[in-house]
Amino acid sequence: MHPIDLRSDTVTLPTEAMRRAMATAELGDDVFGEDPTVVRLETLAAEMTGKEAAMLVPSGTMANLICLLTHCGRGEEVILGDQAHIFYYEQGGSAAVGGIHPRTVPNHPDGTLDLTAVRDSIRADDPHFPRTRLIAVENTHNRCSGTPLEAAYLQAVADLAAEHGLRVHMDGARIFNAAAALDVPVADLAGPVDSLSFCLSKGLSAPVGSLVCGRETFIRKARRNRKVLGGGMRQAGVIAAAGIVALQEMTGRLVDDHRYARRLAEGLSAMRRARIDPERIRTNIVYVNLDPEGRPAAEIVARLTDAGVRVGATGPYQFRAVTHYGIRQEDIDRALKAFALILD
Ligand code: TLP
């Protein structure tokens, strides 16, 4: 029997339509701006997010780094959540590469930041302090149960930023999951922020690629930062072709992933050694806390792997399961049987 891989939605493979589009894509040198397929993808991404322009980059990590480098100079500060992917999982790249200072505010379990805490973190104009430039939010919030952030909250962040002359960046790696869960167009969520990054290679199943979206002037500056990081790609239309299919054909089915994640969480919540509130699962990410008196996550993950189900340990007593295009209802039923043998 095939293993059920719930480690991440990054494991998704390109669809047949994507492979066909990649094989037949019209190509050119994108560093010269001459790859027509990349231009088509960037135009489509800008249209769908309601932004003036967009730029294809190799990964979500590079997309975020480029955005931070474009908004902030060396010694300047970004305010972001302590659970943010940018802070937690990107090697501190903006500090290491860009000299950008991170100022964290605790994330609420729903992925939001307390706006009073954000306001209190904005630096006064004083030579002792770095200069605050940016507020970064994440939507959906990976480490906060994949919760989607609503447009009203994003607007409140943007209003606060505007009051203080700051910009707002949104790590929207899974922004299409957020839009599907909230049943709103992506443009409603992108509207309040200055820059947005999103990934083609997660729930949308494309093999590679992320987009940075924002104002024309921002994207022009961001292209320079992409180049210096080595992210300028030549016949990138082979990647972009799959990305176009991802945006045209793969967003509508994300609600299935969300339904399966909820079903998984409901099943897990009934198991003795698993702690999870299924009501919190609104998209495709399920974090499960384990009884700290019992076996640690690494051991549980190894046992699950032996039983044909792959999940990722995200803490000493926590693991994560993510649903995606490769997971069907029968996989959820089979996974729950395996979970029950080990966690009940
Ligand atoms: N997240 C990965 C791991 O890095 C944890 C995953 O499996 O979820 N922003 C967010 C919110 C992300 O979840 C990720 C990837 C990224 C950015 C980075 O994207 P890539 O992997 O394309 O660099």
Side-chain angles (χ1 to χ4, degrees), residues 8 59-61 64 85 89-90 138 142 171 173-174 202 320:
S8 182
S59 69
T61 301
N64 284 329
H85 194 278
Y89 284 127
E90 298 181 13
E138 185 175 316
N142 182 340
D171 174 353
R174 298 184 179 83
K202 297 192 167 61
R320 185 186 77 158

Side-chain angles (χ1 to χ4, degrees), residues 93-136:
S94 56
V97 177
I100 300 164
H101 196 248
R103 180 93 189 262
T104 57
V105 167
N107 274 112
H108 289 148
D110 68 356
T112 58
L113 303 173
D114 183 287
L115 293 188
T116 307
V118 173
R119 184 188 297 276
D120 292 346
S121 302
I122 299 170
R123 306 284 192 164
D125 185 4
D126 177 318
H128 291 89
F129 300 146
R131 210 190 288 275
T132 311
R133 278 283 179 229
L134 183 68
I135 302 172

Side-chain angles (χ1 to χ4, degrees), residues 165-183:
L166 309 180
R167 300 286 192 204
V168 181
H169 169 66
M170 180 156 68
D171 174 353
R174 298 184 179 83
I175 197 66
F176 284 92
N177 294 84
L182 298 169
D183 198 18

